[in-house]
Amino acid sequence: MSQHRQLAAIMFTDIEGYSALMQHNEQQAITLKNRHRQVLQDQHKHCNGHIVQYYGDGTLSIFQSAVEAVECALAMQQAFRQEPKVPVRIGLHMGDVIFDDEQLFGDGVNIASRIESLGVPGSVLLSDRVQEEIVNHPEFKTYSVGRYHLKNIARRVEVFALDHEGLVKPAPYSLKGKTEEAEGRNRQGLRTFSKLPPKSIAVLPLVNMSNDPEQQYFGDGVAEEIINSLSNLKDLKVAGRTSSFQFSGRNIDLREVGEKLGVSTVLEGSVRKQGNRLRITIQLIKVEDGFHLWSEKYDRSMDDIFAIQDEIANAITEKMKVTLMEKSRNRIKKPTTKNTEAYELYLKGRFYVNRRGASIITGIKYLQQAIKLDPGFALAHTGYADANLMAGLYGLLPPKQVMYKAKESAEQALKLDPSLCEPYCSLGTYYCYEWNKKEAEKNFLKSIELNPRYAQAHLWYGLNYLTWMKGDFARAEEHGRIAIKLEPLSAISYGIYAQILHTAGKFEEALATCKAGLELDASSFLCRLYEGYSYLFLKQYDEAVQIFEQLMKLSNKHNFSHGGLIMAYCKMGNYEKGRLLLEDLKARSLKEYIVCTVIGIAASWVNENLDEAFKYLEKGYREHDPMLLSLKYEHWVPDTLRADPRYQALLDKMDAPEKLPA
């Protein structure tokens, strides 16, 4: 039997869930399989592809050109997304193969197969080698979905997805498939590494060595301040706080930290705080070989905490051989406050705000106290602004009570330190809730200009402005993906990206994104909430009800989950159950703060007469309820409400900028 080698673009396809469908509905399974083959054959003929093998519900084929292979995959997937939809995974790689008349094999085939296994139905995944071949072809739009150790493949492969309208676009770092469990071990059992940026670092939370476990806020806070300080250096890649802190309290493998966060060094250490005395121990370690580049021990008083942080930041920049501009050096050495008591309160405040949920209210109290002790403490003002915005957005406190406070504190922070990016992000969010598009976008863009690596700015700009105010879903998704790249281990980033996808009507992608976020944090409220909404609009009502009922218990009947459950029962046709839940929600609103828009939308699902729904929506308008922003584009607004003239009148009022009362 003759054999020959050749360079080829290799394509694998596979119908997801085909075997299960055969057992459930054999005729439907055969119909989908036939449609899969017909589309495959038509497009391969058009793009000069050669189908080497059919196997069950999948295929293996090759092309002489990577461009033609990608063109074929795109056309196929766009066809499969039309009714009747065929849930197909497609993976492409460019490599050397061994070919004979009956078989195709070699490392190139293995990599293509592994990439297809990572796929999400409706997406097209490409290896980095294919990406290199098509990079100069502007007709193809792609984005990175992360780097993966594929099973039995020595090198770490960066995988890309096509970013075209109509395709499913998986969230970065969310793919699951045939990956190497031993992450990068070669046949001799030695660790192999993809090239990591030499000037890159992750700062882990300092381990609390004090007798009091409540002192953990201090170790977290000191680490966060070092991250903020180092983030001002343009030449240094600093892993995001949320992703770095995923390794808190774990017996970690520093190589795992380096690979997952894409950094070559890790700063770790411990802190012991007894009264006014501190002992901080720090080590800067190379992840590849565990070599200690630098270590130091500080036995000081609390009064020296700012000097210690400056020393650490400057020592790191020296060891990392980062060329500092004078402006960056000044930013590192700039003190935040000289009041150590205010600083401790600030650290406590940030600690509780970062925990989200009801802890935000606790954080607000600590930040208030910090500002009272030192009104000139710029970072305390930025933390206080963010905390109040979150309390209003998540329905923890009435928006009139907190939104203007957020604006005042953000503006005060900029007076104290105009170089901060965070207050501009806060102001961008505030102006969204004043329905002032011009001021909102201006502030968001300024925040991103000052610090393009500030993930929160990309998320809030993407959701609040681009998605809910503008309906520019393509740009919103782009910023969501940037945020996940900056914070690959943050469930919050996945949750907000899922909100963007859901509003865009991409329910399958939103669901996959939520599941990826829940793998990072099983208790993520946002990911669980939008998992429920995604199931709801995929018409998987039993799954949606199960999620919302579970979330009601876990969140102490948070009004967002309460509203989702009402909607789910109504979508199932169980209006009586929905009505009972609505009455309970209204009764709760007499004793606690419930978001007016949630009640209004729930009422519009339950009642044919929409007077009650608009009563609550108008009340939300008067209170500048943040959830009103979602009315124009979100899918939970029923058609009956959209058809009512009062709906458009409400949107028209929101289009005219109106200041929130002080």
Side-chain angles (χ1 to χ4, degrees):
M1 184 181 294
S2 62
Q3 294 182 347
H4 68 274
R5 288 182 177 273
Q6 69 178 76
L7 184 67
I10 309 130
M11 175 191 294
F12 272 92
T13 74
D14 183 70
I15 305 174
E16 185 173 86
Y18 181 79
S19 298
L21 184 59
M22 275 293 287
Q23 295 180 9
H24 177 68
N25 189 329
E26 184 175 303
Q27 186 56 50
Q28 184 183 0
I30 293 172
T31 300
L32 291 183
K33 184 176 180 179
N34 290 339
R35 174 163 156 71
H36 172 245
R37 289 201 176 189
Q38 188 62 55
V39 169
L40 191 91
Q41 291 167 358
D42 291 347
Q43 294 302 329
H44 274 63
K45 183 177 180 180
H46 178 73
C47 297
N48 302 311
H50 172 54
I51 301 171
V52 177
Q53 183 180 358
Y54 291 101
Y55 56 95
D57 53 344
T59 59
L60 165 62
S61 55
I62 59 171
F63 299 77
Q64 293 186 356
S65 159
V67 172
E68 289 182 326
V70 175
E71 180 185 353
C72 182
L74 175 59
M76 285 166 51
Q77 200 61 281
Q78 287 174 333
F80 292 141
R81 298 291 291 160
Q82 304 302 314
E83 295 294 343
K85 290 183 179 180
V86 187
V88 175
R89 298 191 300 259
I90 300 179
L92 297 173
H93 176 60
M94 188 85 181
D96 191 48
V97 298
I98 302 170
F99 184 68
D100 60 32
D101 292 336
E102 297 179 1
Q103 288 187 322
L104 188 72
F105 47 96
D107 282 347
V109 177
N110 293 336
I111 293 175
S113 172
R114 301 294 186 257
I115 290 173
E116 178 269 310
S117 79
L118 296 174
V120 176
S123 69
V124 176
L125 300 184
L126 324 169
S127 73
D128 41 18
R129 299 280 168 80
V130 176
Q131 172 70 13
E132 289 171 5
E133 294 292 321
I134 66 169
V135 71
N136 294 321
H137 289 263
E139 67 269 28
F140 299 125
K141 297 181 290 182
T142 65
Y143 67 98
S144 174
V145 288
R147 294 153 68 238
Y148 297 85
H149 275 306
L150 304 176
K151 188 174 181 180
N152 297 328
I153 305 300
R155 75 179 184 92
R156 195 169 174 86
V157 178
E158 185 167 15
V159 180
F160 293 80
L162 287 185
D163 189 10
H164 288 252
E165 190 63 33
L167 298 191
V168 172
K169 300 167 190 175
Y173 300 97
S174 67
L175 304 179
K176 306 295 177 185
K178 295 177 182 176
T179 56
E180 184 61 69
E181 292 294 332
E183 284 203 353
R185 294 190 183 278
N186 64 22
R187 290 174 186 174
Q188 286 73 40
L190 301 176
R191 195 78 179 213
T192 60
F193 286 86
S194 53
K195 188 175 181 180
L196 297 170
K199 296 178 182 178
S200 56
I201 188 171
V203 180
L204 305 187
L206 304 185
V207 177
N208 175 30
M209 301 296 288
S210 305
N211 294 327
D212 181 6
E214 294 298 318
Q215 292 289 333
Q216 184 58 49
Y217 77 87
F218 192 79
D220 287 9
V222 171
E224 185 171 358
E225 288 305 292
I226 294 170
I227 290 172
N228 292 340
S229 183
L230 293 174
S231 294
N232 290 289
L233 304 175
K234 302 300 182 186
D235 292 338
L236 181 63
K237 176 189 174 183
V238 184
R241 174 212 170 274
T242 307
S243 294
S244 295
F245 278 37
Q246 285 292 315
F247 297 96
S248 178
R250 290 169 49 187
N251 184 18
I252 58 169
D253 178 351
L254 293 182
R255 295 175 177 85
E256 178 190 356
V257 178
E259 287 289 321
K260 286 190 173 181
L261 300 182
V263 296
S264 59
T265 60
V266 170
L267 185 77
E268 65 169 5
S270 63
V271 58
R272 183 186 299 275
K273 183 173 179 290
Q274 298 291 127
N276 196 45
R277 297 300 301 173
L278 285 177
R279 170 173 288 183
I280 295 178
T281 304
I282 294 289
Q283 303 92 30
L284 181 64
I285 305 169
K286 285 179 66 177
V287 300
E288 184 173 2
D289 54 17
F291 181 76
H292 281 53
L293 293 169
W294 167 74
S295 63
E296 189 62 78
K297 182 186 292 183
Y298 302 90
D299 283 301
R300 307 279 185 84
S301 72
M302 263 297 292
D303 298 332
D304 293 330
I305 184 60
F306 312 117
I308 294 172
Q309 289 174 183
D310 290 343
E311 285 181 44
I312 293 170
N314 282 291
I316 291 168
T317 59
E318 182 181 341
K319 292 298 177 183
M320 304 289 284
K321 295 182 170 61
V322 177
T323 303
L324 289 177
M325 301 295 290
E326 189 62 35
K327 182 179 178 182
S328 294
R329 187 181 295 116
N330 290 339
R331 287 293 296 123
I332 282 180
K333 293 187 174 181
K334 196 165 188 177
T336 52
T337 179
K338 294 180 179 179
N339 188 317
T340 55
E341 188 179 351
Y343 183 68
E344 265 205 88
L345 290 165
Y346 162 73
L347 294 184
K348 285 184 179 179
R350 294 296 303 193
F351 176 79
Y352 282 103
V353 170
N354 288 332
R355 290 173 66 176
R356 296 295 197 266
S359 296
I360 292 172
I361 307 301
T362 305
I364 286 175
K365 293 175 182 176
Y366 282 120
L367 291 164
Q368 275 180 318
Q369 294 173 45
I371 292 169
K372 186 176 181 180
L373 283 176
D374 184 359
F377 189 3
L379 290 179
H381 282 287
T382 66
Y384 186 65
D386 277 357
N388 277 287
L389 287 170
M390 290 179 197
L393 176 60
Y394 291 117
L396 301 172
L397 292 170
K400 272 191 176 181
Q401 182 179 323
V402 293
M403 298 306 246
Y404 199 76
K405 292 178 183 177
K407 177 177 183 282
E408 285 184 322
S409 239
E411 289 176 338
Q412 183 61 25
L414 289 175
K415 287 179 184 177
L416 295 166
D417 188 350
S419 68
L420 293 172
C421 69
E422 294 90 346
Y424 284 107
C425 178
S426 301
L427 286 172
T429 304
Y430 169 81
Y431 281 115
C432 284
Y433 303 131
E434 267 198 357
W435 310 313
N436 189 328
K437 293 180 182 177
K438 182 179 178 182
E439 287 298 316
E441 182 165 44
K442 181 179 78 174
N443 281 280
F444 278 129
L445 293 178
K446 181 65 176 178
S447 178
I448 293 170
E449 176 192 339
L450 286 171
N451 185 0
R453 294 182 291 188
Y454 183 40
Q456 185 166 296
H458 290 284
L459 291 169
W460 287 10
Y461 178 50
L463 177 66
N464 297 318
Y465 180 76
L466 291 173
T467 299
W468 284 351
M469 294 193 83
K470 290 276 288 183
D472 189 345
F473 304 129
R475 284 177 64 206
E477 289 175 42
E478 180 183 345
H479 282 277
R481 292 195 293 267
I482 290 171
I484 290 177
K485 188 173 183 180
L486 291 167
E487 289 278 20
L489 303 183
S490 167
I492 293 171
S493 295
Y494 283 90
I496 294 178
Y497 183 49
Q499 287 182 275
I500 293 169
L501 292 169
H502 188 276
T503 310
K506 298 180 177 181
F507 307 127
E508 292 173 353
E509 293 173 59
L511 180 60
T513 301
C514 288
K515 289 186 179 298
L518 288 166
E519 287 193 11
L520 295 169
D521 179 5
S523 63
S524 171
F525 177 80
L526 267 184
C527 289
R528 191 68 71 189
L529 181 70
Y530 274 83
E531 182 186 27
Y533 282 135
S534 299
Y535 277 128
L536 187 61
F537 288 93
L538 288 170
K539 299 182 180 179
Q540 297 180 37
Y541 301 131
D542 291 338
E543 290 86 345
V545 167
Q546 183 180 357
I547 294 293
F548 288 130
E549 287 183 338
Q550 181 186 45
L551 200 54
M552 286 275 279
K553 295 176 183 177
L554 294 174
S555 67
N556 194 25
K557 294 178 68 174
H558 189 285
N559 50 117
F560 291 175
S561 55
H562 200 146
L565 188 58
I566 293 170
M567 195 185 310
Y569 275 117
C570 290
K571 292 275 278 185
M572 294 176 76
N574 191 343
Y575 290 96
E576 184 57 34
K577 184 71 172 178
R579 188 170 291 107
L580 290 172
L581 285 165
L582 175 61
E583 292 305 315
D584 181 40
L585 189 63
K586 290 190 294 184
R588 288 177 58 201
S589 71
L590 301 176
K591 303 173 184 177
E592 59 185 289
Y593 177 68
I594 300 291
V595 175
C596 295
T597 303
V598 170
I599 305 176
I601 295 297
S604 70
W605 281 96
V606 171
N607 302 318
E608 291 184 13
N609 187 326
L610 297 176
D611 291 347
E612 183 178 49
F614 280 104
K615 180 186 79 171
Y616 281 103
L617 294 178
E618 286 292 341
K619 184 180 179 183
Y621 172 79
R622 294 191 298 272
E623 293 184 356
H624 279 247
D625 178 359
M627 287 303 296
L628 279 181
L629 281 177
S630 67
L631 282 189
K632 190 169 186 178
Y633 296 108
E634 249 298 2
H635 293 268
W636 55 54
V637 179
D639 293 339
T640 52
L641 192 74
R642 292 184 187 278
D644 193 296
R646 290 172 288 184
Y647 168 77
Q648 188 58 49
L650 181 59
L651 294 184
D652 291 342
K653 284 197 295 185
M654 290 168 60
D655 275 339
E658 178 185 322
K659 288 186 177 181
L660 188 68

